[in-house]
């Protein structure tokens, strides 16, 4: 039994919602609209995460100064950082917790579109939503997979470039800063392992994330770590 089975009650609710939309719309479009609805509901968390990241970015020079000043005294450094965050009314984990809260929602979506169910019997341009790339036959089916991969690659490239710029702008390079931008292409690889419905979900949520970050971080650099997911 999958560890994600604990999410099955929530998956059942998500299935019912998509199925209801699929009664009046093509199922593929219902998946897109449901994904957008979920991301819209999670938007306040994304806004909270952006505020936290901006706050940490604003304090980064002061943090670096304290680290340099107390590099030989770890205990004093912890005290100084705690005092800085207290004075600025900023949590040292600001921006992290809202993103963690989103994980269960995305896990539900993943399980819905990778567990056999009646929704996956429907098609996208004639390709069953439950079909994996290894089972594609004919130019038409291959073209659908290629289109999804190209879309994900395009979004990944946009995030890759932003992550490279964000990493280059850092005065003190973060550990793994050279690797993080390449994680932007993770969804391209992952889409090869899941059926059409899940790949469609990945493309929809990736486009939303990219547009959302561009809006929330307008005028300020987007943290490289935030772009890699």
């Amino acid at each position: 039994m999958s560890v994600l089975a604990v999410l099955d009650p929530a998956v059942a609710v998500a299935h019912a919602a998509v199925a209801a939309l699929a009664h009046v719309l093509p199922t593929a479009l219902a998946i897109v609209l449901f994904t957008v609805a979920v991301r819209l509901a999670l938007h306040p968390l994304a806004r909270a995460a952006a505020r936290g990241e901006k706050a940490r970015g604003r304090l980064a020079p002061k943090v670096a100064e304290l680290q340099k000043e107390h590099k030989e005294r770890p205990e004093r450094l912890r005290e100084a950082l705690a005092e800085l965050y207290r004075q600025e009314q900023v949590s040292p984990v600001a921006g992290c917790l809202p993103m963690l809260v989103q994980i269960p929602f995305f896990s539900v979506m993943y399980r819905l579109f990778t567990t056999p169910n009646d929704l996956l019997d429907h098609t996208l341009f004639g390709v069953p939503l439950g079909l994996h790339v290894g089972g594609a036959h004919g130019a038409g089916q291959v073209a659908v997979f290629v289109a999804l991969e190209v879309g994900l690659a395009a979004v990944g490239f946009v995030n890759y470039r932003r992550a490279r710029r964000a990493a280059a702008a850092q005065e003190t390079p973060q550990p793994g800063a050279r690797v993080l931008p390449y994680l932007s292409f993770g969804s391209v690889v992952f889409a090869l392992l899941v059926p059409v419905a899940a790949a469609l979900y990945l493309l929809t949520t990736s486009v939303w994330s990219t547009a959302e970050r561009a809006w929330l971080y307008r005028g300020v650099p987007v943290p490289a770590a935030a772009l890699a997911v």
Side-chain angles (χ1 to χ4, degrees):
M1 179 183 295
S2 170
V3 294
L4 294 180
V6 69
L7 300 173
D8 283 351
V11 172
V13 173
H15 176 277
V18 176
L21 286 172
H23 279 303
V24 294
L25 297 169
T27 303
L29 181 57
I31 290 173
V32 171
L33 293 180
F34 180 68
T35 302
V36 169
V38 170
R39 293 306 308 265
L40 186 60
L42 295 176
H43 181 67
L45 296 178
R47 291 179 68 88
R51 285 195 298 269
E53 290 288 357
K54 289 177 183 178
R56 288 198 296 177
R58 176 170 52 83
L59 293 179
K62 294 182 180 180
V63 171
E65 184 178 334
L66 288 174
Q67 289 173 335
K68 182 178 180 179
E69 181 180 350
H70 302 295
K71 62 180 179 180
E72 303 297 337
R73 296 177 293 173
E75 187 64 31
R76 182 69 187 95
L77 174 60
R78 285 193 292 269
E79 294 175 357
L81 289 175
E83 178 63 18
L84 173 65
Y85 291 131
R86 186 190 66 79
Q87 291 179 350
E88 299 290 340
Q89 297 183 336
V90 173
S91 168
V93 294
C96 299
L97 292 180
M99 297 304 296
L100 292 177
V101 173
Q102 295 185 46
I103 293 177
F105 291 91
F106 298 145
S107 298
V108 167
M109 302 291 281
Y110 167 77
R111 185 159 177 81
L112 173 63
F113 299 137
T114 57
T115 302
N117 61 73
D118 58 309
L119 294 175
L120 302 183
D121 295 332
H122 295 265
T123 63
L124 172 64
F125 298 116
V127 180
L129 293 174
L131 186 69
H132 286 71
V133 64
H137 296 288
Q141 291 190 348
V142 171
V144 169
F145 282 101
V146 169
L148 291 171
E149 286 292 315
V150 169
L152 286 168
V155 174
F157 182 69
V158 170
N159 289 330
Y160 168 80
R161 292 188 62 184
R162 289 179 177 172
R164 285 287 300 272
R165 289 197 296 268
Q170 292 177 343
E171 295 183 6
T172 304
Q174 300 281 333
R178 293 185 177 181
V179 177
L180 280 175
Y182 293 97
L183 297 181
S184 301
F185 296 105
S187 59
V188 179
V189 177
F190 189 64
L192 296 173
L193 308 176
V194 295
V196 171
L200 183 60
Y201 158 70
L202 280 174
L203 178 58
T204 304
T205 197
S206 297
V207 170
W208 177 281
S209 293
T210 301
E212 185 177 60
R213 289 164 185 154
W215 169 256
L216 292 177
Y217 291 93
R218 59 193 183 281
V220 298
V222 184
L227 286 166
V229 292

